[in-house]
Amino acid sequence: MSTEENILLAARKVFLQKGFMSARMQEIADEAGINKALLHYYFRTKEKLFEQIFSDAFQLIKQSFTGSLLNSLTFSEFLRAFVHAYLHLLDQMPYLPQFILQELNRDSSRIITLFEQQKVPMSAIKKLIATEVENGEIIAIKPEHLIVNIISLIVFPFVARPIIKTFIFNQNIEDYSRFNEGRGEEIVQFILRAIRIPKNMI
Amino acid sequence: MSTEENILLAARKVFLQKGFMSARMQEIADEAGINKALLHYYFRTKEKLFEQIFSDAFQLIKQSFTGSLLNSLTFSEFLRAFVHAYLHLLDQMPYLPQFILQELNRDSSRIITLFEQQKVPMSAIKKLIATEVENGEIIAIKPEHLIVNIISLIVFPFVARPIIKTFIFNQNIEDYSRFNEGRGEEIVQFILRAIRIPKNMI
DNA sequence: GTCTATATTAGGATAGAC
DNA sequence: GTCTATCCTAATATAGAC
């Protein structure tokens, strides 16, 4: 593995856990098994190194959207694919959401650049939902609310992990990991129930 | 207004927006219209000043739980009261959730202290849900999932505000604020639909 | 390319006058 | 209690040898 890849791997680990402000160049150097000066040799500044990590991280999230949309004809197909793709990603990178949200709140100008670079297929998803509402497949709901609801149910538990672990599960690790295992289907079913047309209306 | 209150007000504003690491004592002093030395005279260290702000902030959240539980006999009463109480609080303090979550992720040991000091009535809420499930008032759902779902739907949009504003509303402020106005009832109805017993099962 | 040693600066904290 | 001036340390960044 090249030194540059090595640094990027170490930087990703440290930045994701600590965020830009709390991350230390020294810690990244240690993690990569090199020294500080070499970090600067490869990436000049902390800011530039961070930039790389941040946009890579956001791209991973974007791929959950595009990938799930690709092979889905109906909304429920998309929903199931998306929930599981996203949860699979977060399983491997649990710090990802907090990292992204923290940095976007810290530097609000970054969101503009991000929006221009990373085209998330939001309007396609909106259209998919709107069509199913028109066809009477699902209840009348504004696509924006439904999209926000889906993402909230998936992502929030990762951002609030310490609180949930402590205040809801009293630090009981087993209960908590059981909760996580069932979470994907729970979300899918919860949403499907919330948007289905009541049977006795026919 | 006393100098001490003045400082606390300024500190709250700066800490909530910036978080501990990005907050600057200088900025707090400016905001309070005094100088840095006086901050240290009143609160010795940045850490101690922060401590005060943080526990006050968490207490506000706790009160949304306890307050809503107080006068609710059924789950749907609690749900409606809680959603609106919490949203009312976040309307006034939109940075509150990101602040709390960021700090709990930064310093994981803090959660222990917090748990011992601030008794959130979680078991009472769990019991309320479990009872309604037993009585066949709502569908079979694990209380932990339902509680997490409720909080996710309320809180996440505030944490992800920049992303939602940009990627879902294309920076259109009017669309975004219309979304926020309808959000409370949307959440309540979404959850009630997801947990109701289907009519044709009777 | 990689290291050691050093410069620079930002920012929290303190001393001491009033 | 409030200020100005100063200290001190941590952390980013660079110079220069190998």
Side-chain angles (χ1 to χ4, degrees):
Chain A
M1 191 165 53
S2 76
T3 304
E4 182 166 343
E5 288 171 320
N6 214 352
I7 292 174
L8 284 171
L9 216 64
R12 192 170 79 175
K13 183 173 173 186
V14 175
F15 275 133
L16 258 74
Q17 284 193 36
K18 304 284 177 75
F20 180 79
M21 277 312 236
S22 295
R24 295 289 162 252
M25 294 297 265
Q26 185 60 59
E27 192 179 351
I28 296 174
D30 292 348
E31 184 72 34
I34 55 163
N35 72 10
K36 270 193 304 176
L38 207 53
L39 287 184
H40 290 281
Y41 174 78
Y42 277 92
F43 293 93
R44 259 184 42 83
T45 69
K46 182 183 182 184
E47 185 69 48
K48 285 199 199 317
L49 177 54
F50 173 80
E51 209 60 57
Q52 180 91 46
I53 302 299
F54 182 81
S55 64
D56 288 359
F58 193 86
Q59 197 157 8
L60 286 176
I61 294 178
K62 190 186 71 174
Q63 283 165 2
S64 299
F65 283 85
T66 48
S68 310
L69 202 54
L70 214 58
N71 294 315
S72 304
L73 290 175
T74 67
F75 172 74
S76 72
E77 279 172 11
F78 164 74
L79 176 66
R80 180 164 269 112
F82 179 66
V83 169
H84 288 104
Y86 211 150
L87 283 180
H88 180 71
L89 171 64
L90 298 189
D91 237 38
Q92 298 168 294
M93 303 179 68
Y95 295 105
L96 189 57
Q98 175 61 23
F99 171 70
I100 299 285
L101 296 172
Q102 181 175 333
E103 297 310 328
L104 288 181
N105 279 301
R106 187 177 61 85
D107 176 3
S108 52
S109 72
R110 195 184 302 279
I111 190 82
I112 309 294
T113 332
L114 199 65
F115 184 61
E116 282 156 6
Q117 289 168 358
Q118 305 268 359
K119 290 294 181 190
V120 180
M122 207 53 86
S123 59
I125 300 173
K126 280 188 199 171
K127 204 169 292 176
L128 181 60
I129 295 171
T131 305
E132 298 224 350
V133 169
E134 280 169 38
N135 297 346
E137 308 267 1
I138 61 177
I139 213 166
I141 186 172
K142 295 210 180 76
E144 291 80 6
H145 279 293
L146 183 49
I147 294 171
V148 168
N149 292 354
I150 296 168
I151 302 175
S152 300
L153 292 171
I154 298 171
V155 176
F156 186 75
F158 286 84
V159 186
R161 201 165 42 152
I163 286 196
I164 292 175
K165 253 182 174 161
T166 306
F167 283 88
I168 297 189
F169 292 101
N170 290 302
Q171 306 267 19
N172 183 322
I173 308 290
E174 286 177 22
D175 286 356
Y176 176 69
S177 69
R178 242 193 312 279
F179 167 83
N180 268 332
E181 277 166 31
R183 185 70 192 158
E185 259 324 277
E186 173 65 36
I187 294 175
V188 171
Q189 294 306 326
F190 191 84
I191 294 170
L192 289 179
R193 288 200 303 272
I195 62 172
R196 81 193 151 178
I197 308 270
K199 286 266 173 57
N200 62 342
M201 296 270 304
I202 299 171
Chain B
M1 192 165 52
S2 76
T3 304
E4 183 166 342
E5 288 171 321
N6 213 353
I7 292 174
L8 284 170
L9 217 65
R12 191 171 80 175
K13 182 172 174 185
V14 175
F15 276 133
L16 258 75
Q17 283 193 37
K18 302 284 176 74
F20 180 79
M21 277 312 242
S22 295
R24 296 287 161 254
M25 293 298 265
Q26 185 61 60
E27 192 179 351
I28 295 174
D30 292 349
E31 183 71 34
I34 55 163
N35 73 9
K36 267 197 303 178
L38 207 53
L39 286 184
H40 290 280
Y41 174 79
Y42 277 92
F43 293 91
R44 261 185 41 82
T45 69
K46 183 182 182 184
E47 185 69 48
K48 285 198 199 316
L49 177 54
F50 173 80
E51 209 59 58
Q52 179 90 46
I53 303 298
F54 183 80
S55 63
D56 288 0
F58 193 85
Q59 196 157 8
L60 286 177
I61 294 179
K62 191 186 70 173
Q63 282 164 3
S64 300
F65 283 83
T66 48
S68 309
L69 202 55
L70 213 59
N71 295 315
S72 303
L73 290 173
T74 68
F75 172 74
S76 74
E77 279 172 11
F78 165 73
L79 176 67
R80 180 165 270 113
F82 179 65
V83 169
H84 287 105
Y86 211 150
L87 283 179
H88 180 68
L89 171 64
L90 298 188
D91 236 38
Q92 298 167 294
M93 303 180 68
Y95 294 106
L96 189 55
Q98 174 61 22
F99 171 70
I100 298 285
L101 297 172
Q102 182 174 332
E103 298 309 328
L104 287 181
N105 279 301
R106 185 177 63 86
D107 176 3
S108 52
S109 71
R110 194 183 302 278
I111 190 82
I112 308 293
T113 332
L114 199 63
F115 184 60
E116 283 156 5
Q117 289 168 0
Q118 306 268 358
K119 290 293 181 190
V120 180
M122 207 52 88
S123 58
I125 300 173
K126 280 188 198 170
K127 205 169 290 175
L128 182 60
I129 295 171
T131 306
E132 298 225 349
V133 170
E134 281 170 37
N135 296 346
E137 307 267 2
I138 63 177
I139 212 166
I141 186 171
K142 295 210 179 76
E144 291 80 5
H145 279 294
L146 182 49
I147 293 172
V148 168
N149 291 355
I150 296 168
I151 301 175
S152 300
L153 292 171
I154 298 171
V155 176
F156 186 75
F158 286 84
V159 185
R161 200 165 44 153
I163 287 195
I164 292 175
K165 252 181 174 162
T166 306
F167 284 88
I168 298 187
F169 292 101
N170 290 304
Q171 307 265 18
N172 183 323
I173 308 290
E174 286 178 22
D175 285 356
Y176 177 68
S177 69
R178 241 193 311 278
F179 167 83
N180 268 331
E181 277 166 33
R183 186 70 192 157
E185 258 327 276
E186 173 65 36
I187 294 174
V188 171
Q189 294 306 326
F190 191 84
I191 294 170
L192 288 179
R193 287 199 303 272
I195 63 172
R196 82 191 150 181
I197 308 269
K199 285 267 172 56
N200 61 343
M201 296 269 304
I202 299 173

